[in-house]
Amino acid sequence: MNTITVNNLKKYYGKTKAVDGVSFEVKEGEIMGFLGPNGAGKTTAIRCMMDFLRPDEGEITILGEDAQRESSRLKQDIGFLSGDVKLYNHWTGQEHLDLIERMKGKTDYDLDLIAEFSFDPRKKVKELSSGNKQKLGLILALMHRPKLLILDEPTAGLDPLLQNTFYNTIRSGAVEGRTVFMSSHNLAEVEKVCDRVCIIKAGKLVAVESIKELKKKKIYTIYAYFQGDMPGSELQRDGVEITKKFTDGLVISVRGEIDPLLDELSKYKLTDIEITHASLEEVFMEYYK
Ligand code: ATP
């Protein structure tokens, strides 16, 4: 079953097409990353999903219900973290936790989260660093073990140790069947924690792919050195490019399968060969360009 279905979502600000016909689905228990450069439309789409903004066109179904018509009820089942966490400066963390308990019912999970994130709930928000405000925002979103988490840049401002705590927390949530939809600029994070990713650019989705599939699109660079004759134009084919020539070697860029090229190279007397592949980051950059 789909936990989220977004169909042809459009939201324009005057001439700016912030979200321009975006469609995707998120399955139950899946961790979906929402990735894109600054101004791509991530926050606008998320705000439409949360009914903080009304779309110009399109339908959003969350947990089987219309995201606009049933928004108040749905908020009970969604743990939401905004990109700019809204907190009361003069309240302590504990007062925020108490407020959410009054709204959503008693829970003990907040105590586990406070321990996991080493958060001090006695401090007033105005005394907290930005990373600690982010921790509080996350605890407030997670503390009721919601069926669905919608998180706008959840790890912004968290140190690497706490980022890992967060990854483990949502991974174990996903194992229990909870669904996560999270925007991010952090490619390594998406690779580490997400099952699939939607890539958005200038309001349009440019890809919805599993992380496994994306990894297959890696670009290889081969440094090959020869004694005597070297191959030349016979290597050229789709996805293969000789990017540099030395007197005794070549640098070759290959997208996808490298076996056919290795077969060709083995016809010559190789003295050395080194194969490196691009990081997933470079694969993403191809989409961003
Ligand atoms: P970032 O990664 O920088 O947070 P984003 O992907 O979340 O960016 P949005 O904040 O959704 O992007 O913005 C998408 C586009 O809509 C941008 O061109 C932005 O300038 C524009 N935009 C966003 N909010 C408004 C608004 N209230 N009025 C006018 N234009 C807006």
Side-chain angles (χ1 to χ4, degrees), residues 85-149:
V85 187
K86 306 267 190 312
L87 300 165
Y88 297 106
N89 264 329
H90 294 282
W91 284 22
T92 62
Q94 189 59 54
E95 284 174 301
H96 284 83
L97 297 168
D98 294 344
L99 174 69
I100 300 296
E101 280 208 336
R102 282 200 296 279
M103 286 162 56
K104 294 196 175 182
K106 185 103 189 80
T107 171
D108 290 329
Y109 187 45
D110 57 336
L111 298 177
D112 295 345
L113 290 167
I114 285 169
E116 276 171 37
F117 284 97
S118 316
F119 178 72
D120 181 353
R122 294 164 303 180
K123 282 193 175 166
K124 287 198 166 157
V125 164
K126 62 179 178 183
E127 299 164 38
L128 297 178
S129 67
S130 57
N132 277 308
K133 284 182 195 160
Q134 188 74 1
K135 278 190 212 174
L136 176 56
L138 273 174
I139 294 169
L140 295 173
L142 294 164
M143 63 190 262
H144 277 87
R145 299 181 187 268
K147 290 182 195 157
L148 170 63
L149 282 162

Side-chain angles (χ1 to χ4, degrees), residues 2-207:
N2 289 333
T3 297
I4 302 175
T5 306
V6 172
N7 182 30
N8 194 31
L9 180 66
K10 292 187 183 174
K11 178 72 193 175
Y12 297 172
Y13 296 107
K15 282 187 181 154
T16 307
K17 297 180 174 183
V19 177
D20 192 19
V22 162
S23 304
F24 60 84
E25 291 163 353
V26 185
K27 294 185 213 91
E28 189 179 341
E30 191 170 40
I31 303 180
M32 176 72 99
F34 195 33
L35 204 81
N38 287 124
K42 302 181 293 296
T43 299
T44 304
I46 285 177
R47 292 182 71 76
C48 290
M49 289 160 75
M50 291 303 298
D51 195 36
F52 297 138
L53 272 179
R54 280 285 151 108
D56 294 319
E57 248 181 69
E59 300 87 43
I60 305 172
T61 309
I62 295 183
L63 296 164
E65 308 206 44
D66 183 281
Q68 263 79 52
R69 253 196 332 267
E70 302 300 331
S71 69
S72 311
R73 218 203 52 67
L74 278 171
K75 283 188 179 74
Q76 290 288 325
D77 289 334
I78 302 174
F80 174 64
L81 178 76
S82 158
D84 51 342
V85 187
K86 306 267 190 312
L87 300 165
Y88 297 106
N89 264 329
H90 294 282
W91 284 22
T92 62
Q94 189 59 54
E95 284 174 301
H96 284 83
L97 297 168
D98 294 344
L99 174 69
I100 300 296
E101 280 208 336
R102 282 200 296 279
M103 286 162 56
K104 294 196 175 182
K106 185 103 189 80
T107 171
D108 290 329
Y109 187 45
D110 57 336
L111 298 177
D112 295 345
L113 290 167
I114 285 169
E116 276 171 37
F117 284 97
S118 316
F119 178 72
D120 181 353
R122 294 164 303 180
K123 282 193 175 166
K124 287 198 166 157
V125 164
K126 62 179 178 183
E127 299 164 38
L128 297 178
S129 67
S130 57
N132 277 308
K133 284 182 195 160
Q134 188 74 1
K135 278 190 212 174
L136 176 56
L138 273 174
I139 294 169
L140 295 173
L142 294 164
M143 63 190 262
H144 277 87
R145 299 181 187 268
K147 290 182 195 157
L148 170 63
L149 282 162
I150 296 182
L151 309 171
D152 198 356
E153 295 197 40
T155 55
L158 295 185
D159 65 42
L161 215 63
L162 285 166
Q163 286 178 10
N164 267 325
T165 305
F166 166 75
Y167 302 148
N168 292 336
T169 307
I170 62 162
R171 270 261 160 240
S172 58
V175 171
E176 290 168 31
R178 263 172 280 280
T179 310
V180 183
F181 183 80
M182 55 180 268
S183 78
S184 175
H185 284 123
N186 185 337
L187 310 172
E189 153 174 307
V190 168
E191 180 176 6
K192 199 182 292 180
V193 78
C194 296
D195 303 305
R196 285 197 301 150
V197 62
C198 295
I199 303 178
I200 185 171
K201 190 181 141 188
K204 290 192 188 288
L205 274 197
V206 290

